[in-house]
Amino acid sequence: MDSPPDLPSDIPPEPRREPILTLPGALTAYIGLLAIVHVVWSALPPELEYWTIEAFGFIPKRYDSSLLPTAFPGGSGAKIWTFATYSLLHANLSHIGFNVLWLLPFGSAVARRFGGLRFFLFMAVTAVAGAIAHLLTHEHSIAPMIGASASVSGAMAAAIRFAFVRGSFLSFRSDDAAAAAQVPALSLMRALQNPRVLAFLAIWFGINIIFGMGSVAIGAEPGSVAWQAHIGGFLAGLVLFSLFDPVPRPPRDAASEPSGGADRVP
């Protein structure tokens, strides 16, 4: 009987299979926090449920000194923490699901680039910016605003500062996403000259102004959407991105592009 032929000893190992969707730990933790808050809040009895909205939602009238003072839950402390805590509350599963859907591509890119601490601080800062924009445009409103969409909008704005640099968009694959997270970002001025960025800005602002998306004002008119908060968070994410970005930009002479290659980094 013939013996089987010897097998080559240098057979390459089977390539490692990676999941198509890989989320950074910071984003997973953020989504988990939103989910836990929603589950706990939904389990409260009705009277505590609305007390929570008033104590942790953002109410412009809380800061209105021109009218008779209104006692809101939380007292003076709520005038500080509600600038951020409103972003952790959501009206229902579709509300939270909509924000998470937008977070998956954009929040994933930003969380992978910023790391955990910077990412959470960035989401808080853009939430505050959204609350300020809502306060300036709803000075006497008593309807509480809730929802993470100002922070989601900020993450979308931050992502476009580096996601278009190499002429591509965002990827869920870990190798592609890790490489994109290290690409030097465009300066704000150069970003606003990039055709892809300008197209994205036009579409995003158009959708928000015409339809609105993601944040709601509880107790306001049916279908009321706090789209001004989205714009406040978006502008904050676009302008303040460099304060959080850990990836250094190349020297000015190395960053200058040849004619016709304004959206590419060598």
Side-chain angles (χ1 to χ4, degrees):
M1 177 180 297
D2 295 334
S3 59
D6 293 336
L7 295 176
S9 58
D10 57 348
I11 297 177
E14 185 177 350
R16 181 168 61 93
R17 294 183 178 180
E18 294 188 6
I20 295 178
L21 178 63
T22 56
L23 298 181
L27 179 61
T28 302
Y30 182 78
I31 293 175
L33 176 61
L34 296 182
I36 291 172
V37 169
H38 186 71
V39 169
V40 172
W41 178 46
S42 300
L44 296 175
E47 61 274 13
L48 283 179
E49 186 176 351
Y50 200 78
W51 180 92
T52 302
I53 295 178
E54 289 193 323
F56 297 98
F58 188 79
I59 306 175
K61 191 176 179 182
R62 198 192 303 270
Y63 310 92
D64 191 345
S65 59
S66 64
L67 302 177
L68 292 176
T70 302
F72 291 105
S76 298
K79 290 185 176 182
I80 299 174
W81 68 59
T82 56
F83 273 94
T85 55
Y86 79 93
S87 65
L88 302 178
L89 296 171
H90 290 83
N92 46 48
L93 286 178
S94 63
H95 187 199
I96 191 173
F98 191 87
N99 279 325
V100 169
L101 182 64
W102 284 105
L103 267 177
L104 290 179
F106 297 98
S108 179
V110 174
R112 187 171 279 107
R113 185 180 183 95
F114 284 177
L117 181 60
R118 282 189 179 93
F119 176 73
F120 274 92
L121 183 59
F122 177 83
M123 297 299 276
V125 168
T126 49
V128 171
I132 292 173
H134 186 71
L135 177 61
L136 294 176
T137 54
H138 296 76
E139 185 179 0
H140 305 298
S141 175
I142 197 172
M145 178 184 70
I146 60 175
S149 62
S151 296
V152 174
S153 299
M156 295 169 77
I160 66 175
R161 289 286 297 272
F162 61 92
F164 292 108
V165 169
R166 296 193 183 278
S168 60
F169 197 51
L170 306 168
S171 174
F172 285 126
R173 295 186 180 277
S174 60
D175 289 344
D176 296 341
Q182 299 304 317
V183 172
L186 296 171
S187 67
L188 179 58
M189 186 63 66
R190 291 181 61 226
L192 295 178
Q193 296 172 354
N194 185 298
R196 296 182 182 88
V197 172
L198 293 176
F200 184 91
L201 289 174
I203 294 171
W204 188 90
F205 275 94
I207 290 175
N208 272 272
I209 292 174
I210 296 174
F211 301 106
M213 53 189 225
S215 282
V216 296
I218 302 297
E221 297 178 2
S224 176
V225 179
W227 57 267
Q228 295 92 339
H230 311 162
I231 293 178
F234 189 92
L235 291 178
L238 189 66
V239 174
L240 300 179
F241 167 82
S242 297
L243 298 180
F244 295 87
D245 189 19
V247 179
R249 276 189 289 188
R252 184 179 299 272
D253 57 345
S256 60
E257 311 288 345
S259 177
D263 60 349
R264 295 184 180 272
V265 172

